[in-house]
Amino acid sequence: MQLPKFVLADNSDFPDDIFVIHLDFPRFIINLKDDEVEFMEDLEGEDETELEAEMEHLITLAGEFYDKEMEAYEE
């Protein structure tokens, strides 16, 4: 099965929060309400500088993904 890079999620226990889940490495969940990131795997041993740069890029892509999805729902 081929999985998308990002998926949207919400939860009735967190009515004001929207989550974007990144399914490629490094797998993480970002709460777009406050940009809090929760990693789904152990990243110990990874190059911190490289990971920081990649995460900045992925967080930007997650926001763009959300905006694109919302535009599609509005149409």
Side-chain angles (χ1 to χ4, degrees):
M1 171 191 335
Q2 187 174 7
L3 296 174
K5 186 172 191 162
F6 294 105
V7 293
L8 285 178
D10 64 0
N11 186 298
S12 59
D13 291 337
F14 304 92
D16 297 328
D17 298 4
I18 299 289
F19 302 94
V20 175
I21 303 168
H22 181 255
L23 297 172
D24 289 342
F25 182 83
R27 293 179 303 159
F28 63 87
I29 300 171
I30 181 170
N31 184 340
L32 295 180
K33 177 180 151 187
D34 57 13
D35 289 340
E36 185 176 347
V37 175
E38 181 73 31
F39 289 97
M40 298 167 53
E41 54 207 341
D42 182 19
L43 298 176
E44 199 168 305
E46 296 294 323
D47 180 332
E48 283 188 40
T49 305
E50 185 178 320
L51 184 60
E52 262 185 47
E54 180 66 14
M55 284 307 300
E56 283 183 36
H57 177 69
L58 290 172
I59 289 170
T60 299
L61 289 178
E64 291 172 359
F65 166 76
Y66 173 77
D67 291 342
K68 184 178 120 195
E69 290 295 302
M70 291 301 100
E71 285 176 19
Y73 284 122
E74 290 174 1
E75 291 178 359

